[in-house]
Amino acid sequence: MTSRSTSFTTYGKRTLFFTLLLTLGACSSDDNNSSGTQMPDPGSTQSVSVTLNAAQEIPVPVNVPEGASGTAEVSVDENGVVTATVGVSNLSDTATMVHIHRAFAGQTGPVVIGLTTDDGGSTWSVPADAPALTEDQIGAFNRGELYFNVHTAANMPGEIRGQIDPGNATAFTIRLENISTEETLNIASNNTTQPVPLSPGAYIVHRNPADSPLLLPRDSANAGLEAVAEDGNTTPYPAAVPGTAIFNTPVGDSAPGPIGPGGAYEFTVQAVDGDKLGFVTMFIPSNDWFYTPTDADNSLDLFIDGQPVSGEVNAADFAIWDAGTEADEEPGTGASQVQRQSAPDTGAADPDTRVSSLNGRGQSVSLNGPVLRVTITPQP
Ligand SMILES: [Ca+2]
Ligand SMILES: [Ca+2]
Ligand SMILES: [Ca+2]
C-alpha cells in the first residue's frame, strides 16, 4: 500500500494548513454493471466463470506482455466451501502467488484464501483444507466483492486480476456532499463562523444485524476510526476492519483531499438484499468527531422490502459522533485539532472513550444549518 503526505488549504476566514496521510489510487469506481436484486437460494451452490487480465489490476502493473490473461471457475456451496481452478498464461514471469481477495472492483483488499499449484504455476486451485467462507464472506461473494489476484516477481501487488461476480447484485452510487457554508459553525469564543470541511473516509457494505463493523468495538475506537476521526487519515482502516474501503478524491479532482462547501465524494458499491452501508467522514474542525449513520445498526439500508433504496437520505439517519480518542476543544479553534496541531495524533486523551453520538455522550455543537447530504442512486 502506497501512501504519501498531502498538504492543502482548508476553508474559512483564515488560511489554515494541515497534513493528511492519504491512500493513493483507491477510489476509482469502474464497477461492472450486473443487475438484479435477489439473494440466491442459500441452499444452492453458485458457480461463476471469471476472466483475469491486467486491466483490472490496481496499481497498474508494469511490463505486462500482450495477452497476459487467466480464466477461472469458482464455486461456493451453501456452507461457504470454495472450489476454484485458475489457469494463467503469457505472464511476465512465473506466477508466484494466487489469492482470492476481498474488495470491490476498483479497490484492493485483504487475502481471503490462498491457492496452490501442482504444475509450477500455470494452474492454481483452492486446497482441500482451505477454510470455508464465513457468513460475512459469503455475503461478499454474493455482492461481487471477491477477486482473484495473480502475483509475479515483476508485479508483486498483482499482474492480472479477475473480479468474481455471480451477477446477483445491484450497483449503487453513493454521494456525500458538503452543504455547509461560511456561516455554518458558530465559534462562540470570538463570535465568528466557519464552514465545516469533511475528510476522506471509509465505508463498508455488510450484513451485521447489530452494528457497523467500522465502529466496533464501541467502548474504544479501532485504529482505523481513530485515524479518520482525528486526522482524516484513512490509511489504517482496511487493516483494522476487514472489508473496509476508502473514499478520498473529491469529485472533479485528481488527487485526494478534503471537501469544503460544494464539494462531494462519490463511490460505487454493489449490494444484495439485506446488505447495508456504513461510512465515516471526519468533522474536520474537531478533535475526533465524524459523521456516520446513527440508526440502530449504524448503517443505511440499501434495500427496503427487497427493492433498492433511491434518493436523498433523511438527515436524521446520520449524525456527528465522537470517537472517544481525544479530549474536545472548542470546534474550529483548538490547538490540538487537525487544522492547527503540530503533528498527527496529537492531543490530550479523551476522558470518555466510548464511540458514541454527541447526543449519546451529552455533548453538542452549535451549527446554523446542515453540513452533509447523502444521496443513494441505484444504477439501472
Ligand atoms: Ca472527543
Ligand atoms: Ca489519538
Ligand atoms: Ca489532534
Side-chain angles (χ1 to χ4, degrees):
M1 186 68 67
T2 306
S3 64
R4 69 171 187 189
S5 295
T6 303
S7 295
F8 48 81
T9 306
T10 60
Y11 313 83
K13 291 168 180 165
R14 285 164 286 176
T15 302
L16 304 167
F17 295 93
F18 59 106
T19 300
L20 300 181
L21 289 169
L22 297 165
T23 304
L24 290 176
C27 205
S28 69
S29 56
D30 53 344
D31 280 2
N32 58 31
N33 56 357
S34 60
S35 59
T37 65
Q38 299 305 306
M39 275 291 278
D41 174 359
S44 65
T45 295
Q46 296 187 80
S47 298
V48 184
S49 297
V50 180
T51 300
L52 293 80
N53 54 43
Q56 298 176 67
E57 195 63 69
I58 301 168
V60 175
V62 298
N63 299 325
V64 181
E66 192 85 12
S69 64
T71 57
E73 297 292 330
V74 55
S75 297
V76 177
D77 76 8
E78 66 273 21
N79 298 315
V81 174
V82 181
T83 309
T85 303
V86 181
V88 301
S89 57
N90 299 315
L91 302 181
S92 62
D93 199 347
T94 306
T96 53
M97 293 183 293
V98 177
H99 300 125
I100 295 174
H101 296 246
R102 177 175 173 180
F104 288 113
Q107 300 264 356
T108 60
V111 172
V112 176
I113 295 176
L115 282 71
T116 55
T117 181
D118 288 331
D119 64 3
S122 295
T123 309
W124 297 73
S125 55
V126 172
D129 61 353
L133 299 181
T134 64
E135 190 175 346
D136 187 49
Q137 290 167 339
I138 293 173
F141 168 75
N142 277 317
R143 70 178 74 102
E145 199 183 2
L146 300 181
Y147 64 93
F148 289 107
N149 196 23
V150 177
H151 306 266
T152 62
N155 289 289
M156 303 280 281
E159 182 157 319
I160 58 173
R161 165 174 171 158
Q163 199 73 23
I164 303 169
D165 192 340
N168 304 322
T170 298
F172 296 84
T173 298
I174 312 297
R175 181 177 173 88
L176 307 181
E177 185 176 359
N178 189 326
I179 56 172
S180 74
T181 71
E182 297 286 337
E183 284 79 42
T184 295
L185 175 62
N186 286 313
I187 312 294
S189 65
N190 60 14
N191 197 30
T192 62
T193 63
Q194 293 180 16
V196 180
L198 299 170
S199 79
Y203 63 94
I204 192 167
V205 180
H206 72 98
R207 303 178 70 79
N208 187 330
D211 221 335
S212 168
L214 294 177
L215 303 187
L216 298 177
R218 289 286 293 277
D219 56 354
S220 64
N222 66 67
L225 180 59
E226 178 176 5
V228 167
E230 290 186 16
D231 299 315
N233 172 15
T234 58
T235 304
Y237 234 127
V241 180
T244 300
I246 299 305
F247 58 87
N248 59 14
T249 302
V251 174
D253 286 1
S254 58
I259 53 170
Y265 297 108
E266 283 188 359
F267 52 90
T268 301
V269 301
Q270 292 191 165
V272 293
D273 191 8
D275 285 348
K276 297 173 288 191
L277 175 72
F279 69 83
V280 299
T281 177
M282 184 188 182
F283 184 104
I284 285 180
S286 76
N287 295 83
D288 60 345
W289 293 359
F290 58 99
Y291 278 96
T292 201
T294 197
D295 65 353
D297 56 12
N298 295 112
S299 302
L300 303 178
D301 287 329
L302 292 171
F303 292 83
I304 294 177
D305 296 332
Q307 295 303 309
V309 166
S310 181
E312 185 176 333
V313 175
N314 189 323
D317 289 347
F318 49 86
I320 303 169
W321 281 46
D322 188 313
T325 55
E326 190 169 307
D328 299 315
E329 303 165 300
E330 181 188 44
T333 65
S336 294
Q337 293 167 358
V338 68
Q339 292 159 299
R340 284 162 294 277
Q341 65 188 359
S342 57
D345 196 21
T346 298
D350 200 319
D352 180 349
T353 64
R354 291 176 299 161
V355 177
S356 175
S357 65
L358 294 191
N359 284 343
R361 293 166 53 106
Q363 301 169 191
S364 63
V365 60
S366 179
L367 298 176
N368 291 318
V371 172
L372 175 63
R373 176 187 289 150
V374 182
T375 309
I376 300 176
T377 308
Q379 297 180 355

